[in-house]
Amino acid sequence: PNGGALNPSQVPLNGLVGEFADDRFDYRLGLDYRVSDDVLVYGQVSTAFKGGGINPRTFFPSQVVPFEPETVQTYEVGFKSDLFNGDVRLNVAAFYSDYENIQIINPSCPDITPNNLPGPCAATRNSGDGEFIGLEYELMIEPIDGLQFDANGSFIDFKYTSVNPLTRIGPDADFPFLAKTKLAAGVQYAIPMFAGTITPRFDVDYRSSFSTEGAEGPFSRVPARTLA
């Protein structure tokens, strides 16, 4: 009616209905203990999820398929500290996360594409189960009034513990958009001027390379970069 043209292969998608239903209960349990006025240690376990649904980007009726929720259980331990009368702050956390039914955008899905062709496809699918192990830190040092150094970083490793072969994701594939190393540091100095202050600051930020897809491709790898 509006004069637009339809792709003949997509006409059967008009009015097509898929079904998905699920329910979920999550929790978080934590325990902390103040070793001294300056140091707090803690541990916690928590769960979370990313909802399932129906593939929202279909090219053919056969690609109207459901996908399961992505779930995770995470264990974390760490400490928070303010030392030397607050001139040094150091917070450190280590964690382990167990993922199930990891959701990815699958660019190749011959099992749900006519004639078993690899594409076109952009289906959300469950690629398998995996685990993360990581360490994060925050550091701030103020050696004299007005002068402040700060730094933070994270180191995260990921590996698949099982894969769904229909997604064509290999057991050594990266987690999409995961930069395994992130580092940042900065320095600033507050200079009193008139009724306030002027604070010059310098920052540097590093991020390691990462993949934009679960499977490596010629255009999926984003190189490491440093910004200053």
Side-chain angles (χ1 to χ4, degrees):
N2 61 7
L6 291 177
N7 185 331
S9 67
Q10 294 179 321
V11 172
L13 295 173
N14 187 33
L16 198 63
V17 176
E19 294 184 359
F20 174 82
D22 192 39
D23 57 75
R24 173 77 180 175
F25 172 80
D26 282 299
Y27 65 88
R28 175 181 176 273
L29 298 173
L31 179 67
D32 59 68
Y33 177 71
R34 188 166 289 281
V35 179
S36 67
D37 291 340
D38 300 327
V39 179
L40 175 78
V41 297
Y42 71 93
Q44 67 178 22
V45 55
S46 60
T47 62
F49 78 101
K50 183 191 294 183
I54 306 294
N55 174 26
R57 300 181 64 187
T58 57
F59 294 89
F60 307 97
S62 59
Q63 293 177 354
V64 181
V65 294
F67 54 92
E68 295 298 315
E70 175 181 301
T71 62
V72 60
Q73 184 158 0
T74 296
Y75 305 87
E76 181 178 338
V77 295
F79 69 85
K80 299 179 182 293
S81 63
D82 284 301
L83 309 172
F84 304 104
N85 296 318
D87 291 336
V88 176
R89 174 174 296 166
L90 177 62
N91 301 329
V92 177
F95 63 88
Y96 168 81
S97 297
D98 183 16
Y99 277 77
E100 294 184 359
N101 293 321
I102 295 170
Q103 295 176 5
I104 63 165
I105 304 298
N106 203 180
S108 178
C109 50
D111 60 301
I112 58 173
T113 302
N115 301 316
N116 296 115
L117 296 174
C121 183
T124 299
R125 311 190 75 188
N126 301 108
S127 62
D129 305 333
E131 58 185 15
F132 290 80
I133 298 176
L135 178 72
E136 298 176 340
Y137 75 89
E138 297 177 339
L139 174 65
M140 186 279 293
I141 302 174
E142 189 171 357
I144 60 175
D145 289 344
L147 178 61
Q148 178 178 304
F149 299 91
D150 54 78
N152 63 80
S154 64
F155 310 91
I156 303 176
D157 188 42
F158 167 80
K159 68 176 182 179
Y160 275 104
T161 55
S162 66
V163 293
N164 177 1
L166 295 178
T167 62
R168 309 180 83 178
I169 297 295
D172 297 325
D174 288 337
F175 192 83
F177 298 99
L178 174 66
K180 294 186 175 182
T181 302
K182 293 181 179 180
L183 300 171
V187 58
Q188 67 182 45
Y189 184 64
I191 305 171
M193 296 195 66
F194 307 110
T197 59
I198 291 180
T199 306
R201 179 173 174 86
F202 177 77
D203 285 285
V204 61
D205 180 274
Y206 168 80
R207 181 185 65 190
S208 62
S209 65
F210 62 90
S211 175
T212 60
E213 300 176 1
E216 285 290 339
F219 306 107
S220 65
R221 175 60 59 174
V222 178
R225 64 103 174 104
T226 301
L227 298 177

